[in-house]
Amino acid sequence: MAWIGDTRSRHLLYLIMIKTYPYLLDPLPYAYDALEPVIDKETMTIHHDKHHQAYVDNLNKALAENEPLQVKTLTELFFSELPVVKNNAGGVWNHDFFWEELTTPGIGHIGESLMKELEKSFETVDEFMKIFEATALGRFGSGWGWLVQNKDGVLEVLSTANQDNPMVDGFKPLLAIDVWEHAYYLKYKNKRADYVKAFWEVINWDKVEQRLG
Ligand SMILES: [Fe+2]
């Protein structure tokens, strides 16, 4: 019955791409404790219900009196010259994308097509993981680590500050790791490296593969 999951995933991605003001916070696609013990229930609850909700609320507030921007999609708002709009649009989109790619620990595995692409771009999956971990760890302050596809179809790893999104620079996001402290501090405290290493356990690789162009 894999096609049901595939269809739902494409539908969700489509909805992220086309929604406009006023924005609503979508529920998590699984229970708050579904990622235990890698990401604990309390972190997920605060991260989704407080932080993600705040990006939605702050974006709606900023757009309430800016009619021309109300018809723009989130990805169009990434290019806004107003920091409050750009930052909160990124916060809404990035978290929608992040929740969707996660799953119960230990059940995800890299499919054949994605494996081929990873090996083509990084030679080995181990090398990709090494670069991804170093990039996520190397992001100074708050931000995100990303696996992206460039315009030539080659996979790359990069990081962005704050709520910036690689689409602004023409990359297609495939996998994101939130390295803001709010994503891990309750459980991992100052040990971002432990969070980044554990993160591999909760990736839904089928979702990542579906994002390939
Ligand atoms: Fe976050």
Side-chain angles (χ1 to χ4, degrees):
M1 298 294 277
W3 63 272
I4 292 177
D6 295 352
T7 303
R8 182 173 181 274
S9 174
R10 288 199 182 97
H11 183 64
L12 284 174
L13 193 58
Y14 178 68
L15 288 179
I16 294 174
M17 294 294 188
I18 62 157
K19 63 185 179 185
T20 55
Y21 174 87
Y23 293 93
L24 293 171
L25 180 67
D26 291 328
L28 284 175
Y30 33 69
Y32 289 99
D33 62 357
L35 310 181
E36 289 268 10
V38 175
I39 306 178
D40 58 288
K41 183 181 178 182
E42 193 183 4
T43 295
M44 289 299 287
T45 305
I46 295 172
H47 198 172
H48 178 267
D49 294 5
K50 303 294 181 192
H51 292 280
H52 195 178
Q53 181 73 64
Y55 294 120
V56 171
D57 293 345
N58 290 335
L59 182 60
N60 284 334
K61 207 168 131 194
L63 297 181
E65 289 174 8
N66 195 326
E67 237 172 276
L69 293 185
Q70 291 176 5
V71 295
K72 305 275 188 197
T73 63
L74 287 171
T75 52
E76 289 170 330
L77 295 175
F78 291 168
F79 295 90
S80 173
E81 285 170 8
L82 300 171
V84 67
V85 171
K86 173 181 159 278
N87 292 335
N88 285 294
V92 174
W93 195 100
N94 292 348
H95 287 88
D96 280 343
F97 187 80
F98 183 61
W99 307 136
E100 204 219 356
E101 71 186 24
L102 304 178
T103 192
T104 310
I107 67 168
H109 68 275
I110 301 176
E112 210 178 306
S113 306
L114 181 60
M115 181 74 80
K116 222 168 92 186
E117 292 303 320
L118 287 169
E119 287 174 349
K120 212 156 70 183
S121 302
F122 302 101
E123 296 205 350
T124 65
V125 172
D126 281 353
E127 185 61 15
F128 152 65
M129 290 171 74
K130 215 166 81 185
I131 296 169
F132 188 87
E133 286 181 16
T135 304
L137 275 176
R139 164 50 52 193
F140 183 76
S142 300
W144 294 76
W146 303 87
L147 171 68
V148 299
Q149 194 168 33
N150 71 21
K151 282 173 182 163
D152 300 320
V154 177
L155 306 194
E156 294 183 29
V157 168
L158 53 85
S159 75
T160 57
N162 304 314
Q163 294 297 347
D164 292 349
N165 188 289
M167 278 188 278
V168 172
D169 296 313
F171 295 105
K172 180 178 189 170
L174 302 178
L175 173 71
I177 180 169
D178 188 343
V179 291
W180 282 63
E181 283 187 348
H182 67 226
Y184 62 88
Y185 204 85
L186 287 179
K187 181 177 170 74
Y188 296 92
K189 306 292 185 285
N190 59 323
K191 294 176 179 160
R192 186 191 284 186
D194 291 353
Y195 160 67
V196 171
K197 275 205 179 301
F199 181 70
W200 298 114
E201 288 295 307
V202 289
I203 298 172
N204 184 337
W205 290 105
D206 290 344
K207 292 277 161 64
V208 179
E209 187 166 290
Q210 286 160 22
R211 292 167 175 173
L212 275 172

